[in-house]
Amino acid sequence: MTETLISFILATTVLAISPGPDNIFVLTQSIVYGKKKGLAIVAGLMTGCLVHTSLVAFGVSVILKENEQIFWTIKILGATYLLYLAYRVYRSDGQIQFSVEKNNSGYSIGKLFRIGFLMNVLNPKVTLFFLALLPQFLFSSSVNVLLQFYVLGFLFILVSSIIFGAIAVFAGELAEKIKSYPRAGWYLKWLQIIVFVGIALFILV
């Protein structure tokens, strides 16, 4: 049992560190809004992972996998939401205003938490990823399977929170150093748009 859980933690660590849409999203948003609000995004993403763990534990993910229409409906909703966020950034002022200061941000901590949460929940690929990953690491024949899914889900959330949180703190500190560059905000505005559109395409493709 211990060996299986350690293997799962190592696998989760590698997955969280590997460049992907979620940690790139945390990186860019933390540079723009600062580390505190970057951590709010991490909290939203990780809360979304709890939803996906529940879907796998109660078998709903199997329905998503087998019903193409429901699967594509959720994918389109998720991609549309991300494209809407990209449009919001595009329609904003000519460049991003850094939000390292307390009263600089157009987005509250709660709003950024919701963005992270919805971005994660409206991505059915995360549910299917959990469906593929978690059953491989069931660690006991005597412990209730539902409980095992939640143990694995919470371990995934814990490890990912630590790594994503470190990314948010690092990116927030980086923002302090680059905010003095006149064109940095303009570049970050378009970087945000590219990330949002890129994740939308990742969900659809």
Side-chain angles (χ1 to χ4, degrees), residues 22 25-26 29 37-49 52 81-82 85 109-123 196:
D22 284 351
F25 176 69
V26 170
Q29 299 303 289
K37 295 187 176 180
L39 291 171
I41 291 171
V42 173
L45 288 169
M46 294 304 106
T47 305
C49 285
H52 291 295
Y81 177 67
L82 288 164
L85 293 177
I109 287 177
K111 173 71 172 178
L112 289 168
F113 173 88
R114 288 193 296 275
I115 287 175
F117 176 76
L118 287 173
M119 174 187 157
N120 191 289
V121 168
L122 292 176
N123 184 356
F196 280 133

Side-chain angles (χ1 to χ4, degrees), residues 5 53 59 68-70 111 157 166 169:
L5 291 175
T53 300
E68 196 74 16
Q69 188 173 0
I70 295 176
K111 173 71 172 178
I157 290 168
V169 170

Side-chain angles (χ1 to χ4, degrees), residues 4-5 7-9 11 133-140 148 152:
T4 303
L5 291 175
S7 298
F8 179 76
I9 290 170
L133 179 71
L134 298 189
Q136 311 307 318
F137 291 91
L138 293 176
F139 50 86
S140 174
Q148 290 185 66
L152 293 172

Side-chain angles (χ1 to χ4, degrees), residues 135-153:
Q136 311 307 318
F137 291 91
L138 293 176
F139 50 86
S140 174
S141 56
S142 57
V143 178
N144 181 276
V145 172
L146 186 66
L147 178 59
Q148 290 185 66
F149 273 125
Y150 274 105
V151 168
L152 293 172

Side-chain angles (χ1 to χ4, degrees), residues 1-18:
M1 180 170 75
T2 304
E3 289 179 359
T4 303
L5 291 175
I6 290 173
S7 298
F8 179 76
I9 290 170
L10 290 174
T12 300
T13 301
V14 171
L15 288 167
I17 292 173
S18 302

Side-chain angles (χ1 to χ4, degrees), residues 65-80:
K65 186 177 181 180
E66 294 178 351
N67 192 313
E68 196 74 16
Q69 188 173 0
I70 295 176
F71 181 66
W72 269 98
T73 299
I74 296 174
K75 285 178 79 168
I76 290 168
L77 284 173
T80 302

